[in-house]
Amino acid sequence: MKETLLLNCEHRFLLCAIEEKKQLDGRQTYDYRNIKISFGTDYGCCIVELGKTRVLGQVSCELVAPKLNRATEGILFFNLELSQMAAPAFEPGRQSDLLVKLNRLLERCLRNLKCTDTESLCAVAGEKVWQIRVDIHLLNHDGNITDAASIDAIVASCHFRRPDVSVQGEVTLYTPEEHDPVALSIHHMPICVSFAFFQQGTYLLVDPNEREECVMDGLLVIAMNKHREICTIQYSGGIMLLKDQVLRCSKITGVKVAEITELIQKTLENNQKIREGVENSWGDLEDSEKDEDEGGSDEAVILDNIKMDTGAEASDIGSQDDPIVLSDSEEEEMIILEPDKNPKKIRMQTTSAKQEKAPSKKPM
Amino acid sequence: MAGLELLSDQGYRVDGRRAGELRKIQARMGVFAQADGSAYIEQGNTKALAVVYGPHEIRGSRSRALPDRALVNCQYSSATFSTGERKRRPHGDRKSCEMGLQLRQTFEAAILTQLHPRSQIDIYVQVLQADGGTYAACVNAATLAVLDAGIPMRDFVCACSAGFVDGTALADLSHVEEAAGGPQLALALLPASGQIALLEMDARLHEDHLECVLEAAAQAARDVHTLLDRVVRQHVHEASILLGD
C-alpha cells in the first residue's frame, strides 16, 4: 500500500501547534512519551513501548566457528525488521531506504562500539565462539523507531543469559538446570535520542511521533551513555544546522539518557527479583515494588509455566484501578490477590488470549 | 597495532602532519566528456571520482517526479581494489546504500532543486582508493562535479573528517588513524554560512570534547573550501582561454 498522505490542513495544523510549543498529546518540547519495558518468559525477550510505538526484541545465541581474522572474539549481530503490521506502507519491497538507515544506525551505535565484551564470548579460541544475535521487530509504528529500537536492543542484551560452557578437550554445554546461565558482559548502555527540526531549524522537538515525523524538516540522532560519552551522532536532514544547535541537543541528550538508563536499571532489577522470587519458593511470593516514573510507566512481567511441578497460573491485571481477575485454576490458593489491595504485589499479567485459554489448562 | 602513537609528544602525527593539518588535495574538473559534469579528487591517498548527469527527465517511473523540485539520485560505489583487502561487493551492500542516502540528503539540501521541477539529477561517486576520509572525499568530488555540470547550488559543500586523540582534535584522518578506533567525526558544511549539511560521528567521545572536535572539523572544511575554490577558478580560467575570451 502507499503511505497515507498527510493532508495539507493537518500539515499546517501541526506546524502551527509546534510554533506555539504545543503538541497534540500535551507534551512539552523536551518530553518523552511514556516508556514501558516488559519482558517475556525467556531470557532475552523484551518489549518496549514508546508511546504507541512498540518494538519486540529477542536475543539468541549459538556456538559457531569464529571469523578468520578475529579468532578470539565472539560475533554480535543486530538486525532490525520493519514488520508489515507496523504501518500500511511497510511492504517487503518498499522499505529499503528507511530500513538501511535504521539498521546502519543501530549497528554503528551498538556493534562497533563494543558495548558488549566480545572476548568474553570466546569458548575455544579459533574454533568455537558464541554468536549472539539480536533480532528486533517493529510491531507498531508511531514515530521514533530509532529510540525504541536502541532501548530494546540494550535491554534485551542486558536481560539475556547464555548457557554456561566448560571446555575439557571438548566443549560441554550445560543446560540451565545444571549450571546457571551466564549474562553477557555489557560495558555501557548507549541510548539514542532523536530530535526533530521544523521550520528550517527554528523549532525542535524531542521524540517525534509519526505525524510529526511526516512534517519535520530534519532529524538529528544522538546516542549517549550515562557517563555522558557520545556514542554516535547522525544528522542528515533536508535543512542545515548550526553548530550550537548540535551542542544544545547534546546537553539535552545527557539529561534524557540519564533518566532512561535509570528506568532500565530499575526494570531489570525488578525482573531479576521476580524471577528469583518465583524460582526460590513457589508458595512464598515476595512483594515486588511497583515501578513509577515519568508519567506512570510500569513494568509487567509475563510469567508462564516456569519449571515448577505445578503450573503457574496468573491473573490478569489491568491498571491499578481495574478489578483483578483470577484465572480459573486449581492453584488458586497459591495466589491470593484482592482487588482493593494496594499495589505492593507481584503484578503478573498474561495476554487476554492466555486468559481465555486458562480454564482449559491442566496443571502439571 | 599496539603501541602505535597517533600523536607524538612534539605534536606530529603518524604521517608527519600537525594536528590541524590537512592532507594534500589535488582536484580536476571536467574529467569525462560524456557526463554533464565530472570531477576527480585526491585527498592524500584517498582518490574519488564523481560524475553528474542532469538535470534530465525522470528515468523509470514517472510517478516519482516531484512537481515542484528536482529529484536527486546518488549512488556510491567503492572499487573492489580500493581497500587493503579485496572487497567482495562494490555496491549494493548496506554501507554503500547508507553512503548513497547520506550523499543524497546532503545534496538535496544544497542544490537549488526548485529551479528544475519534475526532473532528475544523478550523482555517481566512485572511490578508487580508500585511505581514510572517504565520505569527505566523495562529497568534495561531488561538489566539484555538480559545479562542473553548471547546476546551481547554495554554496560549496565541503566535508572533512576529524578525530580526537590525547586531548587534541585531529583533522582529516587517514586510514591508520581511523582504524585505531578512536572517535571519528565526518562533517559536511556550507562554508559561507557555517551551516551543517551532514554530521556523523562514531565511537565514544565525551560530551565536553564535542565542541572542539566540531570546531576542528569546521575549520578543516573551510580550508578545503579555499582549495576547491581555487580549483574551480583555475578550471574556468582555462576554459575561457580555450574559448578565446
Side-chain angles (χ1 to χ4, degrees):
Chain A
M1 281 174 62
K2 266 202 141 162
E3 263 180 44
T4 41
L5 296 173
L6 191 64
L7 308 169
N8 277 343
C9 53
E10 212 175 342
H11 186 107
R12 276 195 300 266
F13 173 73
L14 285 169
L15 282 178
C16 287
I18 289 165
E19 280 169 31
E20 294 176 20
K21 304 220 189 311
K22 291 198 173 91
Q23 287 181 277
L24 280 176
D25 44 12
R27 287 190 280 156
Q28 296 301 313
T29 325
Y30 299 146
D31 278 352
Y32 252 83
R33 291 172 281 178
N34 279 348
I35 304 180
K36 258 194 237 176
I37 303 178
S38 49
F39 298 96
T41 341
D42 289 334
Y43 279 116
C45 176
C46 165
I47 299 181
V48 169
E49 290 177 51
L50 179 63
K52 295 210 191 102
T53 302
R54 196 186 288 211
V55 168
L56 165 73
Q58 175 72 54
V59 182
S60 51
C61 65
E62 196 185 12
L63 275 174
V64 294
K67 287 195 197 151
L68 292 169
N69 52 347
R70 296 193 194 272
T72 52
E73 285 182 19
I75 304 172
L76 206 54
F77 186 66
F78 290 97
N79 187 33
L80 171 70
E81 303 265 349
L82 299 176
S83 158
Q84 273 86 61
M85 69 174 89
F90 291 157
E91 275 174 15
R94 273 169 175 260
Q95 338 159 345
S96 34
D97 277 358
L98 182 59
L99 193 61
V100 166
K101 227 167 61 160
L102 292 170
N103 263 308
R104 279 292 300 167
L105 188 56
L106 219 52
E107 238 180 75
R108 276 170 41 211
C109 175
L110 296 165
R111 182 181 19 184
N112 299 343
L113 282 174
K114 306 206 179 336
C115 54
T116 319
D117 182 11
T118 40
E119 297 258 349
S120 67
L121 294 174
C122 178
V124 179
E127 283 174 32
K128 288 265 176 238
V129 297
W130 284 107
Q131 179 185 41
I132 308 285
R133 202 196 149 96
V134 182
D135 286 297
I136 304 172
H137 291 258
L138 180 69
L139 301 176
N140 190 37
H141 177 33
D142 194 31
N144 206 1
I145 306 172
T146 327
D147 293 7
S150 80
I151 297 176
D152 195 47
I154 278 295
V155 178
S157 311
C158 289
H159 189 241
F160 180 63
R161 305 273 182 274
R162 63 169 173 82
D164 197 9
V165 281
S166 79
V167 184
Q168 280 127 11
E170 57 165 61
V171 182
T172 8
L173 203 64
Y174 292 117
T175 60
E177 280 89 40
E178 296 168 14
H179 274 210
D180 279 338
V182 175
L184 298 176
S185 64
I186 309 238
H187 296 312
H188 68 113
M189 300 207 272
I191 310 277
C192 291
V193 175
S194 304
F195 297 88
F197 290 94
F198 302 88
Q199 299 284 47
Q200 307 305 313
T202 336
Y203 301 101
L204 149 69
L205 275 187
V206 174
D207 186 21
N209 66 25
E210 203 249 329
R211 291 283 101 177
E212 288 157 2
E213 275 185 357
C214 293
V215 177
M216 73 180 175
D217 288 331
L219 183 73
L220 169 69
V221 178
I222 302 186
M224 212 189 258
N225 62 21
K226 68 171 188 226
H227 307 293
R228 294 185 58 232
E229 288 172 336
I230 300 179
C231 304
T232 303
I233 301 185
Q234 168 129 332
Y235 175 70
S236 47
I239 54 159
M240 313 286 179
L241 280 189
L242 293 169
K243 196 175 75 165
D244 28 302
Q245 282 174 313
V246 176
L247 294 170
R248 194 156 40 106
C249 290
S250 74
K251 292 195 174 46
I252 301 169
T253 314
V255 174
K256 293 287 152 199
V257 165
E259 288 169 9
I260 298 177
T261 314
E262 211 185 292
L263 167 66
I264 294 179
Q265 304 277 25
K266 265 199 285 183
T267 43
L268 283 171
E269 274 165 23
N270 232 344
N271 183 254
Q272 189 57 28
K273 264 193 267 176
I274 292 175
R275 281 181 185 267
E276 282 170 9
V278 174
E279 283 174 16
N280 280 339
S281 47
W282 171 236
D284 179 19
L285 297 174
E286 291 161 351
D287 288 347
S288 77
E289 276 179 73
K290 192 172 92 74
D291 255 355
E292 198 77 74
D293 87 292
E294 36 182 44
S297 57
D298 52 29
E299 64 134 348
V301 175
I302 307 167
L303 292 173
D304 183 26
N305 274 342
I306 314 172
K307 35 189 187 294
M308 297 290 160
D309 31 21
T310 54
E313 289 304 323
S315 42
D316 192 356
I317 301 176
S319 72
Q320 308 158 270
D321 306 325
D322 284 355
I324 295 167
V325 175
L326 286 175
S327 65
D328 184 16
S329 84
E330 294 177 25
E331 274 73 45
E332 270 180 358
E333 66 272 17
M334 297 296 196
I335 310 169
I336 304 163
L337 288 161
E338 279 123 53
D340 49 333
K341 192 102 182 171
N342 87 355
K344 286 220 165 248
K345 281 282 169 200
I346 287 188
R347 301 160 53 81
M348 297 196 282
Q349 173 189 345
T350 62
T351 59
S352 50
K354 284 202 191 104
Q355 174 65 17
E356 280 146 28
K357 281 198 235 154
S360 60
K361 248 194 248 177
K362 290 270 175 282
M364 288 193 296
Chain B
M1 279 189 259
L4 181 68
E5 210 181 26
L6 289 178
L7 192 67
S8 78
D9 299 326
Q10 291 90 25
Y12 289 109
R13 289 152 75 172
V14 178
D15 46 7
R17 287 185 283 154
R18 289 269 175 200
E21 217 180 299
L22 297 176
R23 293 176 288 182
K24 183 169 180 198
I25 297 185
Q26 287 172 310
R28 278 206 321 271
M29 291 168 65
V31 185
F32 295 129
Q34 270 286 0
D36 293 328
S38 56
Y40 172 73
I41 195 169
E42 277 184 30
Q43 233 174 297
N45 281 330
T46 303
K47 302 180 164 80
L49 199 51
V51 165
V52 170
Y53 286 94
H56 57 74
E57 202 181 339
I58 297 249
R59 303 265 164 79
S61 57
R62 293 289 156 80
S63 58
R64 287 193 308 146
L66 298 165
D68 55 343
R69 37 187 224 277
L71 194 69
V72 177
N73 174 34
C74 281
Q75 198 182 358
Y76 166 90
S77 162
S78 134
T80 48
F81 46 79
S82 61
T83 48
E85 277 178 26
R86 190 164 200 270
K87 278 183 65 169
R88 298 252 188 87
R89 290 182 75 177
H91 50 82
D93 61 323
R94 265 188 198 166
K95 189 155 178 291
S96 310
C97 279
E98 191 203 11
M99 279 282 231
L101 275 176
Q102 287 178 338
L103 284 170
R104 173 158 69 100
Q105 278 165 326
T106 314
F107 282 95
E108 251 174 12
I111 294 177
L112 294 171
T113 45
Q114 277 84 10
L115 296 177
H116 304 284
R118 304 193 69 83
S119 50
Q120 180 177 335
I121 299 173
D122 295 316
I123 304 179
Y124 300 112
V125 181
Q126 173 90 348
V127 171
L128 298 172
Q129 195 171 314
D131 185 34
T134 40
Y135 170 76
C138 292
V139 167
N140 295 332
T143 303
L144 288 179
V146 169
L147 285 173
D148 189 39
I151 299 174
M153 287 211 288
R154 292 202 166 81
D155 192 0
F156 278 74
V157 183
C158 301
C160 198
S161 56
F164 193 76
V165 166
D166 287 345
T168 335
L170 305 176
D172 199 8
L173 302 173
S174 65
H175 179 71
V176 167
E177 289 160 346
E178 280 182 4
Q184 305 159 25
L185 182 99
L187 177 74
L189 66 84
L190 274 58
S193 48
Q195 291 174 320
I196 298 175
L198 184 133
L199 174 61
E200 195 183 56
M201 205 195 81
D202 283 341
R204 284 151 75 172
L205 175 72
H206 197 273
E207 195 192 329
D208 301 335
H209 303 306
L210 178 64
E211 184 167 2
C212 81
V213 179
L214 267 179
E215 185 48 50
Q219 183 54 40
R222 283 190 280 265
D223 294 338
V224 169
H225 166 66
T226 344
L227 287 161
L228 292 185
D229 187 73
R230 206 184 308 155
V231 168
V232 174
R233 284 177 203 274
Q234 177 75 18
H235 177 77
V236 170
H237 180 67
E238 283 170 10
S240 69
I241 289 178
L242 288 172
L243 288 171
D245 250 344

